Amino acid sequence: MTSFLRSLSPEQQVSLVFVVLFGLLMLASGVSVLLSLRERRRGEVDDVRHERLQDYQALLRSSWLMALVFWVGWAAGEGFAIVLFGFVSFFTLREFISLSPTRRGDHRSLVLAFFIVLPLQYALVWNREFNLFTVFIPVYVFLAIPVVSALGNDPQRFLERNAKLQWGIMVCVYGMSHVPALLLLQFPRFEGKMAFLVFFLVLVVQTCMLVQHVVARRLDRPVAPAISQSFQWRSWGAGLLAGGLLGAALAGFTPFKPLPALAMALIACAAGSLGHLVMKAIKRDRGITHWGSAGRSVTGASGLLDRVDALCFAAPVFFHSVRWNFNL
Amino acid sequence: MNWRAQAMGMFLLGLVRALTGAQARWYGCPPKAEQRIYFANHQSHADLVLIWAALPTELRSITRPIAAKDYWTASNFKRWITTAVFNAVYVERERKGDEDPLQPLIDALGSGDSLIIFPEGTRGHGEEPQPFKSGLYNLARRFPDVVLVPTWIHNVQRVIPKGEVIPVPVLCSVTFGEPVKLGADEDRADFLRRSREAVVALRDI
């Protein structure tokens, strides 16, 4: 199997991944249609079952969307992918800032964050300035933002306001920008195939989150019930296991051998699921169930940040583990 | 509408949506093409743009916002944008001579348009809207068939605070509440207090 995959050209390998992925999605959508038909035929409405079905359909819709975005990203090349993730950063930071009260004195810092820091960080990715890209936000922006805020001449809750803004930038811009940065790493004998690494990361992290949520429904021993119902040691372990095994199984698509692939997948899953837990704690603190339009939208649509927060934490950890372990 | 105004309208709509989401939340009434007065809290000049963007296209063309004459006609560009794009009705903020400042609104309602008005008269500073001025009451008396829709604009002051030039992206929403009716013998103060409360109540939905 592995040798067959290695014998294909990069283009063929990517195409194969997409064929498999869209095949699986179509299968899942077929199951969803059958389930909803069965529900309708039965006539009586079972609330719990109905709710589960709706959850499942929402998950399917976002999976379809993500898969389509990746397909377009692959078809249009690296430049497009960088711009795309730049927009994801923009919209997630917008959600984050909307729910973290700022004052008038923060206006200039917000302008700086959205219109200077964000494009610069992605420009650094574009130019492969990996050293500067790694320290730009934690070192330089870390100072610049509070300086601009201080010049706004408003000491009230200064630390709190700045800490929130810094956090938003770290998660939504710094974390997210490591995803397209993976595309530009240069593995020996793996040129032109770095899209697989992005794909690998997204797939193992999403699988881990999915398995964790599904398993948590069957158990009922949350570690921190005030923050998350789905974070339980056993469900977390199950998620890690599923993500890790999937990673090992996907080794043929990556520059890793199966064992390092397992290790890399485990690292990404651990960082992603713990990051998701942290973001949940922030949401509970703000008293909301999800990011997005004021956290109380009529349509019930949840925010973009809910879907990508695990990725924001997994990407930097994964990126640097890969770089250091393989001396890139 | 000429093509330049149309292009500007599209551009503004795209800009407002990218920056704020411009989400409309119809709580107390559906979006419907009847003659209405939307009355809202006022915190920023961008309020007018946000409500305009939040309305569905069909309603946008029959709904005219009120614009303060001294601010929105200060330059040719502002005048053009309020006239050609928003189709605004200008009002004087200061009473001049014996002219009724409500006359332009009465004319617009008389010709069947819907209106967006800000009964505080001026932009508020704090969290709470200021007391409403009596214009809303006078219009309601004069046009008893027009539906009065309380409206809460959320977050706009964070997008572009007074004195700043560059807007920042913050999600905003416009909430439309249950229409308020003027009682047959309700007095001015009661009605204004009641309609202000109807607007404030939408803040926490």
Side-chain angles (χ1 to χ4, degrees), chain A residues 90-91 93-95 97-104 107-108 110-111 114-115 292-294 296-299, chain B residues 17-21 23 25 27 154-155 158-162 164 166-171 173 203-205:
Chain A
F90 180 88
F91 288 120
L93 187 59
R94 189 179 78 168
E95 284 173 2
I97 295 299
S98 301
L99 289 163
S100 321
T102 53
R103 291 167 63 84
R104 186 168 289 186
H107 191 79
R108 300 266 161 92
L110 288 174
V111 171
F114 276 102
F115 298 121
S293 299
R296 43 182 194 177
S297 84
V298 207
T299 54
Chain B
R17 283 188 180 149
L19 288 178
T20 71
Q23 194 197 17
R25 303 157 74 226
Y27 264 89
H154 181 67
N155 251 355
R158 289 178 64 195
V159 174
I160 180 156
K162 221 174 191 172
E164 295 288 342
I166 308 173
V168 296
V170 175
L171 289 172
S173 60
R203 181 171 58 188
D204 302 317
I205 291 181

Side-chain angles (χ1 to χ4, degrees), chain A residues 65-74 76-92 118 122 126 172 176-177 179-180 183 198 304:
Chain A
L65 187 75
M66 277 181 133
L68 278 174
V69 164
F70 274 103
W71 181 69
V72 171
W74 170 67
E78 284 162 8
F80 178 84
I82 292 174
V83 174
L84 184 83
F85 279 102
F87 274 104
V88 174
S89 271
F90 180 88
F91 288 120
T92 50
L118 194 155
Y122 280 87
W126 186 292
C172 304
M176 188 48 85
S177 67
V179 181
L183 286 171
V198 177
L304 185 60

Side-chain angles (χ1 to χ4, degrees), chain A residues 132-170:
Chain A
L132 186 54
F133 151 81
T134 308
V135 295
F136 174 59
I137 287 178
V139 177
Y140 299 96
V141 175
F142 181 71
L143 176 64
I145 293 280
V147 165
V148 175
S149 272
L151 291 176
N153 193 26
D154 180 3
Q156 216 171 37
R157 296 189 288 111
F158 184 79
L159 178 61
E160 194 185 324
R161 282 155 37 207
N162 274 285
K164 280 176 178 161
L165 188 50
Q166 300 272 18
W167 247 82
I169 296 174
M170 274 304 274

Side-chain angles (χ1 to χ4, degrees), chain B residues 106-118:
Chain B
I106 292 167
D107 294 344
L109 285 173
S111 62
D113 292 324
S114 291
L115 290 182
I116 299 170
I117 67 174
F118 303 104

